[in-house]
Amino acid sequence: MKVRKVKFHFQDKYPMDEIEKKIDDQVYYLVPGADQASHYYYQKKHSYDELDNVSQQMFTRKNENHKTDINDKHHAHLKHLIPQELCEILIKQAQTDKSALAHPELMNKLLPLILNEETDKLFCSYFESEYSLLCYNFCESDPNEETPPYSNSWHCDGGPEKMLKILVYLNGYDEHHGNTKFMDIKATNKLKKAGFIFGDITKRAQDIHPLCLRENITPEISMYENIDAGDGLLFNQNKLAHIRKKPEKAPRHMLQMCFIQSPFHWRFTHDKILPPKSHLIGFEGAAEILLSHTNRQLNDNEAVVMFPASGNITSQPQLKLLLNNIFSDSHFSGEMFKRLTELDPNLAQINSVNILLDILKSSFKDSINWQGELGIENIQNLTQLANYETELVDSINRYIIKNKPIPEAMSWPNPTSDTAPSSKYQQQPFVLKHPIFDANTKIGSAGSCFAFEIARILQKQGFNYLVTERNDDPNSGIIIDGYTPGDKYARFSANYGILFNTPSFKQLAERAFAVKPTKKLLFQQSDGHWLDPYRENVMFCDHQAYLNDYQRHLDATRNALEQVEVFIITLGLNECWQFRDGSVMSRNPRFNTYPLVTHKTLTVQENIDNIQAFYDIIKQHNPDFKLIISVSPIPFMVTGHAKEKHVISANCHSKAVLRVAAEQLVHNNSDMYYLPSYEMVTECLKEPWAEDQRHVTKETVEQVVKLFRSIFEKTD
């Protein structure tokens, strides 16, 4: 038996005795006490004892935590972590470009599969806390490998005593006949005490039977043979002695993952604190990082700044926070805080925000030099002080009735109020008037069916509704739905038909002003008539009638848009059907149009861009053009999202998108205005709907026109 002094990374003070012991023909290298040195190195020096305590104290899911077999056995078989099809893809990727498997995005997709509900319960049960992934790697074991790795001998991994490894098998045991064998914890502890487990990794042994006999150890060896592709082995590689069984038939492909305890959920740790490494690493430093973040969070939670109901300044932290909110220059706000607390440490005088602002303004007055000037930095800080005071006054006045144009518009009408009972059915939902038209102003409109209802009432009430195109020739071969030749009231300013979606408005202007013509298309309907997909509800008896009308209609549309002074549009829906050249149908497709179109749902920004383009094109040719935007209250007839949404939910989404787009458009353009017809119909009228519960009554349209006149009509 030989004894020599050796040094390990976890024994940095004094060398330890390594005993070379020969039993039969086998030589074992034992380092008694190496297990205690390892315990000290990780648990004490690198703070894993502290991390374990803090993690358990901060664990908020204790009521979900239940003891499982892994707490006693320290290993488990996890079934179906990754689909077998995905395993095959990963193996192929490893064979072509293994570096791609190290990409963090891949692990972002795999982790939710592996850390499923069952795995999560096992981890929480074992750690008695949250946990986090420290590192991972993809590896391949070949039956013909020339130099066996150190894991082919019995060992435990150096590291904290609470850690877990998952080996996710990408191909099954039946294919490779390679696996990992485990020794029971009782036998492992005896081998640790004998000095075998944490010796030199280059001097490990595969055959430990003679050593076990000499030390009176009867190990229980276990191995899972029913492992399929996508299954995992979960075990504590520090507590259980284990050995890698070399694959016999084919290469074995695995994903190795190493986990430690954590005060935070694994997603938060993964994203914010300790992103896992894509290669196997040591455990040094990880606990310190997690504890440092924990201490910062606890300190932040303890530093609560409290504001009394009176709004008075009662503490120095409160004063400091206010100064940091006023000035972006932290150095300047710190100097001001120091100066103010030196003058009034108990805040007896500086006890309100108004007094603080007055003192700050006085300090700037005192900073003016003999030439009556302030330094550049002081000018910036003074500007921020002035802006803060303006914003503060504005914030305070937001919910004060005084100086509001219509005081009752601030609060939702409450018919049960004791002081000011009112009903929403008595309201016109607007505040500011925009007198932009009178009896002589040329008015036009376009949009959904709600738009031509408004057009009819405007004409009926004698407004100067501009009409540049009718269809009064019964032999024209053209049919305008809802209009009979000779009718008194036109449906629109020109016969462009119903426009439901915002790209159709853009197309209307692009076609009229020859910015971007569309293809000449006709689709036959079941009644034999032909339909232009860009002009809904306008039909032709034959293609010659369409050709005869084509340029005449574009000229009439352009003529209307060049003359009109106030133009009302109603936004109908945010779903549309788009041709592959980018143009869109004005409504829903017929059976014979489906081969040419795809369904699209428009975003807020797309709707904004479409109406802005419509407006900009017209404004170039008509500087007096003013646009009034409304959102049609008429709901969807049908949605293209029926696989995942009810038509009512889809309609709510559509109206919300259009309403936000309208708000932004009006905000961006001085000659755009909003008509709250949608709010009027859906909130302020008791019985707005016709029998079909989708269209509105004539009385409802009259109320909307009344609202329109209240907002936009000039009065003497």
Side-chain angles (χ1 to χ4, degrees), residues 21-85:
K21 181 181 289 190
K22 187 173 183 180
I23 305 174
D24 298 334
D25 294 329
Q26 178 72 46
V27 177
Y28 298 97
Y29 298 89
L30 310 178
V31 185
D35 58 328
Q36 298 173 10
S38 175
H39 173 88
Y40 170 80
Y41 181 77
Y42 291 106
Q43 301 303 124
K44 305 299 181 183
K45 184 175 180 180
H46 285 287
S47 306
Y48 278 92
D49 270 346
E50 184 181 354
L51 178 64
D52 189 31
N53 291 331
V54 171
S55 298
Q56 290 188 46
Q57 291 172 16
M58 294 183 63
F59 189 41
T60 59
R61 295 195 286 161
K62 294 179 182 178
N63 58 328
E64 303 175 17
N65 197 21
H66 304 286
K67 292 292 183 183
T68 60
D69 288 345
I70 195 173
N71 295 85
D72 298 320
K73 293 170 60 178
H74 305 282
H75 62 84
H77 178 192
L78 307 177
K79 297 287 288 181
H80 311 306
L81 296 180
I82 300 179
Q84 291 190 9
E85 299 82 0

Side-chain angles (χ1 to χ4, degrees), residues 80-95 101 110 113-114 138 168-172 175 228-232 253-255:
H80 311 306
L81 296 180
I82 300 179
Q84 291 190 9
E85 299 82 0
L86 180 54
C87 291
E88 294 173 4
I89 294 172
L90 293 173
I91 292 174
K92 289 180 181 178
Q93 181 63 60
Q95 292 169 342
L101 298 179
L110 290 178
L113 300 176
I114 296 169
F138 288 87
V168 182
Y169 286 77
L170 303 182
N171 54 343
E175 180 179 332
D228 299 320
D231 288 0
H253 299 273
M254 284 194 314
L255 164 62

Side-chain angles (χ1 to χ4, degrees), residues 61 124 182 301 334 342 417 427 443 542 570 655 702 707:
R61 295 195 286 161
C124 290
F182 303 106
N301 291 338
E342 286 175 352
S417 171
Q427 310 291 320
I443 301 174
D542 53 44
T570 59
K655 300 304 182 186
E702 289 173 355
L707 174 70

Side-chain angles (χ1 to χ4, degrees), residues 43 49 150 203 246 248 359 410 472 575 627 702:
Q43 301 303 124
D49 270 346
Y150 300 130
K203 300 175 181 179
K246 180 180 177 181
E248 299 172 358
I359 292 173
M410 189 176 74
D472 290 338
E575 293 183 25
L627 185 64
E702 289 173 355

Side-chain angles (χ1 to χ4, degrees), residues 196-216:
F196 172 73
I197 290 298
F198 291 115
D200 189 330
I201 63 172
T202 65
K203 300 175 181 179
R204 293 173 178 171
Q206 292 184 1
D207 181 10
I208 58 169
H209 182 67
L211 177 64
C212 289
L213 286 177
R214 178 70 60 88
E215 299 291 335
N216 294 318

Side-chain angles (χ1 to χ4, degrees), residues 394-581:
D394 177 74
S395 296
I396 292 171
N397 288 331
R398 286 282 169 166
Y399 295 143
I400 295 177
I401 290 179
K402 184 180 178 181
N403 297 326
K404 299 297 187 294
I406 302 178
E408 59 269 23
M410 189 176 74
S411 302
W412 192 267
N414 180 5
T416 66
S417 171
D418 294 330
T419 55
S422 63
S423 170
K424 68 178 183 177
Y425 301 120
Q426 300 166 344
Q427 310 291 320
Q428 282 195 325
F430 78 96
V431 171
L432 298 177
K433 291 178 177 286
H434 303 284
I436 58 174
F437 81 93
D438 56 24
N440 298 316
T441 304
K442 293 177 182 178
I443 301 174
S445 65
S448 65
C449 50
F450 188 69
F452 64 67
E453 293 292 349
I454 292 177
R456 183 181 63 83
I457 297 295
L458 289 174
Q459 294 171 81
K460 186 177 179 181
Q461 292 185 3
F463 288 97
N464 187 14
Y465 189 84
L466 178 65
V467 180
T468 59
E469 182 182 26
R470 292 180 179 270
N471 185 45
D472 290 338
D473 181 3
N475 299 316
S476 65
I478 305 170
I479 301 170
I480 308 299
D481 187 32
Y483 182 86
T484 302
D487 278 357
K488 185 176 181 181
Y489 305 125
R491 307 282 272 180
F492 302 102
S493 295
N495 290 331
Y496 29 72
I498 296 177
L499 306 177
F500 281 94
N501 52 67
T502 60
S504 291
F505 287 100
K506 181 176 74 167
Q507 281 177 184
L508 181 71
E510 289 176 340
R511 282 159 50 97
F513 292 99
V515 174
K516 186 180 179 182
T518 52
K519 288 187 175 73
K520 292 179 180 178
L521 298 173
L522 284 176
F523 294 91
Q524 192 172 34
Q525 300 185 113
S526 57
D527 62 3
H529 292 131
W530 297 86
L531 180 69
D532 179 346
Y534 306 117
R535 297 172 66 188
E536 179 67 26
N537 288 25
V538 179
M539 291 149 287
F540 302 91
C541 294
D542 53 44
H543 80 283
Q544 191 59 50
Y546 167 78
L547 291 173
N548 293 341
D549 180 67
Y550 190 84
Q551 190 59 47
R552 183 173 56 209
H553 164 67
L554 294 179
D555 293 342
T557 302
R558 176 169 183 153
N559 189 17
L561 296 176
E562 285 178 333
Q563 292 186 61
V564 70
E565 297 170 80
V566 174
F567 200 76
I568 310 165
I569 63 172
T570 59
L571 310 182
L573 45 85
N574 76 322
E575 293 183 25
C576 69
W577 288 87
Q578 181 173 280
F579 290 99
R580 283 167 174 79
D581 65 358

